[in-house]
Amino acid sequence: MSAINRLPVPYFELDETYQILNRSIVAKQAFKQADSFIDLLDIGSVDKVTRFLGKQENGKIELNMDTIEAPYVLHTLFANWDEECFHIICIKQDGNLTELIEKVQKQSRRLAQTDFELLEKKEELEESLSMIKQLSAPFISISAELAFVPFFGDLDDHLIKQNQGVISKNVYEADYDYLFFDFSGVGTITNLGLRELLRLVQALQIMGIETRVIGLRPEHAQLLRGNDIQKRAEFNGSLAEMIRKHM
């Protein structure tokens, strides 16, 4: 038995074109039969190995090799060039690429599950915020002719968009003559919120509904001064005053 066969590690002897001239018994047991060493590599390692061996220098690199036991096993390749051929020893690493891929896939599944859970939480939060917006502009019927919508919190475009459908539907079905918007509970008024409110007032006006704005604080009155909504809606004092006037 030759000394090569007795080597306790996978050993290959290659010519300068990477054809296998000889191999140890351990190499035969670990790798499939192949004429070229390149055939034992995964696709991603071929260029890496040919560049490395093409220098015809001594050294080592890591690469993935297709073994009998499993594909894509990570090895450290030790190479020595002796002017005629390469002497190659391949040492299997503790972990192989398959295990690494499985770990990555497992982590990806965990991240996907986390993303799904976050999406569910996001949807629950959006649903809660939507409910809050609906509760921030309740539609209250005062009489057969008059309805009342008190705003609570910041008057922004989300508040108006969330409630404009319900408001329009209610005034249409009940055939109200007047609709009061109460600003007593309003905090900040945004420009987008004011724009959406103007659109709602215009739509109500087309439906024959007269709108009244009540409960304005000084800072709100200053903001609304000169706005087109002044041409579309009447501005008055308190709810009690308006009820006495219309009841």
Side-chain angles (χ1 to χ4, degrees), residues 118-134:
L118 289 175
L119 179 61
E120 285 187 324
K121 294 295 183 183
K122 178 176 179 290
E123 291 175 347
E124 290 176 4
L125 178 59
E126 289 177 345
E127 185 176 342
S128 298
L129 291 175
S130 176
M131 182 62 67
I132 290 173
K133 289 297 185 182
Q134 291 178 17

Side-chain angles (χ1 to χ4, degrees), residues 18 46-61 77-80 86 88:
Y18 317 128
V46 172
D47 288 342
K48 182 178 180 181
V49 171
T50 53
R51 286 196 303 269
F52 172 70
L53 296 180
K55 299 176 182 178
Q56 295 185 344
E57 297 176 353
N58 301 336
K60 67 177 182 178
I61 59 170
L77 182 150
F78 297 86
N80 179 270
F86 292 101
I88 305 292

Side-chain angles (χ1 to χ4, degrees), residues 107-124:
Q107 183 67 15
S108 297
R109 288 192 294 268
R110 289 179 59 189
L111 290 174
Q113 179 63 28
T114 300
D115 288 343
F116 180 73
E117 292 173 355
L118 289 175
L119 179 61
E120 285 187 324
K121 294 295 183 183
K122 178 176 179 290
E123 291 175 347
E124 290 176 4

Side-chain angles (χ1 to χ4, degrees), residues 4-156:
I4 290 176
N5 286 332
R6 290 196 295 268
L7 288 173
V9 294
Y11 164 84
F12 295 90
E13 183 181 345
L14 313 178
D15 66 16
E16 60 184 4
T17 64
Y18 317 128
Q19 294 297 304
I20 299 174
L21 303 176
N22 206 345
R23 74 184 75 195
S24 66
I25 292 177
V26 175
K28 294 176 182 178
Q29 294 171 342
F31 301 96
K32 65 182 181 180
Q33 181 65 33
D35 294 328
S36 173
F37 186 75
I38 299 300
D39 293 335
L40 301 178
L41 308 177
D42 81 318
I43 296 176
S45 296
V46 172
D47 288 342
K48 182 178 180 181
V49 171
T50 53
R51 286 196 303 269
F52 172 70
L53 296 180
K55 299 176 182 178
Q56 295 185 344
E57 297 176 353
N58 301 336
K60 67 177 182 178
I61 59 170
E62 289 188 344
L63 69 159
N64 300 309
M65 301 187 68
D66 188 3
T67 69
I68 293 176
E69 180 182 343
Y72 312 125
V73 179
L74 184 64
H75 285 72
T76 299
L77 182 150
F78 297 86
N80 179 270
W81 171 252
D82 68 359
E83 303 299 334
E84 293 183 357
C85 61
F86 292 101
H87 301 278
I88 305 292
I89 291 178
C90 302
I91 304 299
K92 179 181 176 181
Q93 298 299 299
D94 291 338
N96 59 54
L97 188 58
T98 301
E99 294 173 350
L100 179 60
I101 291 174
E102 290 177 354
K103 290 180 180 179
V104 171
Q105 290 176 338
K106 183 178 180 180
Q107 183 67 15
S108 297
R109 288 192 294 268
R110 289 179 59 189
L111 290 174
Q113 179 63 28
T114 300
D115 288 343
F116 180 73
E117 292 173 355
L118 289 175
L119 179 61
E120 285 187 324
K121 294 295 183 183
K122 178 176 179 290
E123 291 175 347
E124 290 176 4
L125 178 59
E126 289 177 345
E127 185 176 342
S128 298
L129 291 175
S130 176
M131 182 62 67
I132 290 173
K133 289 297 185 182
Q134 291 178 17
L135 295 174
S136 297
F139 189 93
I140 302 171
S141 178
I142 296 178
S143 70
E145 298 178 348
L146 189 151
F148 168 59
V149 176
F151 291 130
F152 298 100
D154 293 341
L155 195 152
D156 55 21

Side-chain angles (χ1 to χ4, degrees), residues 183-212:
F183 278 56
S184 299
V186 171
T188 300
I189 300 176
T190 68
N191 290 330
L192 290 177
L194 195 56
R195 185 180 67 183
E196 291 301 323
L197 179 61
L198 175 60
R199 290 178 177 176
L200 175 58
V201 170
Q202 290 173 331
L204 293 172
Q205 192 175 43
I206 293 173
M207 296 167 61
I209 310 299
E210 294 186 26
T211 55
R212 304 285 189 270

